[in-house]
Amino acid sequence: AWAAPLREIAEQVTLEQAALERVLARLRRSTLNIGIVGRAGQGKSRFLQTLTGLTTREIPDGNMGFCTGVPSMIAHVPTDEPYADVFFHSPATFLSDVIRPYYEQLGLGAVPSSPGEFGARELPKLPPGESRDSAERESRYRHLRTYHQEFSRYHDLIGATSPRRITADEIRSYVAQDDREGNREYHAFRAVRHVRIATRFPRADLNGLGVIDLPGLGDTNLGDSRTLLAALQDDVDMVLFLRRPNPERDGILDYDI
């Protein structure tokens, strides 16, 4: 008779412990972490460069649309040479966080059982939807199709040992969606969960600050919203929304709200 009530209590205790651990992890941190949130093209990465005194070498930016592909935590570390630790998706998180949302929201049928199956089998055709949603559905399907077409260029990183220590010159190839000229030649970010960048901040009064560069809002890539929410839940203490007004005419628009 006690089995069911005790099982419910044990499950509740487990949930409470997880919540407490999340709070304790925040309180144990030595930095105040500020997440920079905004739509693509608003200058989030360049704002962080100006704030910290760092360069595109540590905080890649771009001028051709969506640049930042994964959350990048930039922290002050008294090191002579910047470096970064890259954390990759496991096969399970790649399927659950990246691929599954597309299959479920677009009605593509059974989700592949492994990354290898996703890359090897033909991508299901997009079933017809309501006309009012067709443009957005097609845009999301194109994102998934790119994951499928470029699978050979990043599949070996899924499940790779994490973290992988890289040099500052390699940071862009793991966190950005394009190179310095705006060419979409980088695909490693598709297998990356997040990156932690360690560098010396030129401004000593910012040593206790951690800044997190996040993918831009407004893309139809379904993975970005999950990535953003995960970062806000676990890593960010304060959210700074950044918006650059149009110099010709502007106002607070629906998507700002």
Side-chain angles (χ1 to χ4, degrees):
W2 284 97
L6 287 176
R7 185 165 55 250
E8 292 177 3
I9 293 173
E11 292 173 352
Q12 188 62 37
V13 168
T14 300
L15 293 175
E16 294 291 346
Q17 285 179 328
L20 287 172
E21 284 299 322
R22 183 171 290 117
V23 174
L24 288 172
R26 288 182 180 273
L27 295 176
R28 292 189 185 112
R29 283 203 295 259
S30 59
T31 57
L32 176 69
N33 293 345
I34 299 179
I36 309 299
V37 178
R39 295 176 69 83
Q42 299 301 298
K44 299 184 299 298
S45 298
R46 293 182 185 181
F47 173 81
L48 288 179
Q49 294 169 12
T50 304
L51 175 68
T52 61
L54 299 174
T55 68
T56 57
R57 187 169 178 243
E58 300 90 2
I59 308 177
D61 62 17
N63 55 10
M64 300 295 290
F66 292 90
C67 175
T68 304
V70 296
S72 303
M73 168 70 183
I74 305 104
H76 168 79
V77 174
T79 178
D80 293 331
E81 183 62 28
Y83 62 87
D85 288 330
V86 182
F87 296 81
F88 297 103
H89 276 292
S90 68
T93 62
F94 177 77
L95 290 176
S96 63
D97 296 354
V98 179
I99 302 303
R100 180 183 294 276
Y102 288 102
Y103 273 73
E104 292 180 345
Q105 293 196 26
L106 298 177
L108 300 179
V111 180
S113 60
S114 68
E117 182 184 345
F118 166 72
R121 81 184 194 188
E122 185 178 354
L123 194 66
K125 295 187 181 300
L126 180 65
E130 297 184 20
S131 58
R132 61 185 175 86
D133 300 326
S134 60
E136 186 173 6
R137 282 169 52 83
E138 290 172 4
S139 179
R140 288 177 173 175
Y141 185 76
R142 284 195 295 271
H143 276 294
L144 179 63
R145 188 170 57 202
T146 303
Y147 271 99
H148 187 262
Q149 291 173 341
E150 305 295 344
F151 187 73
S152 62
R153 303 180 66 175
Y154 66 86
H155 73 93
D156 58 328
L157 298 176
I158 300 172
T161 302
S162 297
R164 174 182 293 182
R165 180 69 52 92
I166 62 173
T167 66
D169 291 329
E170 297 175 287
I171 290 175
R172 187 180 191 95
S173 64
Y174 284 90
V175 307
Q177 302 186 44
D178 51 24
D179 61 20
R180 297 180 186 277
E181 287 71 42
N183 302 310
R184 291 298 168 107
E185 294 297 325
Y186 293 147
H187 294 278
F189 74 92
R190 302 182 188 280
V192 176
R193 287 181 66 87
H194 62 272
V195 176
R196 295 185 179 274
I197 300 169
T199 183
R200 185 189 297 272
F201 286 2
R203 293 184 52 181
D205 57 335
L206 297 179
N207 290 356
L209 192 67
V211 293
I212 301 180
D213 195 9
L214 294 164
L217 299 175
D219 198 353
T220 53
N221 186 341
L222 291 176
D224 284 352
S225 59
R226 287 173 172 255
T227 297
L228 178 66
L229 290 173
L232 294 178
Q233 175 172 299
D234 296 327
D235 297 319
V236 176
D237 300 311
M238 179 187 301
V239 179
L240 179 62
F241 287 91
L242 187 68
R243 187 181 187 282
R244 180 169 53 196
N246 186 327
E248 295 181 358
R249 186 172 68 177
D250 212 337
I252 301 299
L253 306 178
D254 54 356
Y255 55 70
D256 293 315
I257 300 172

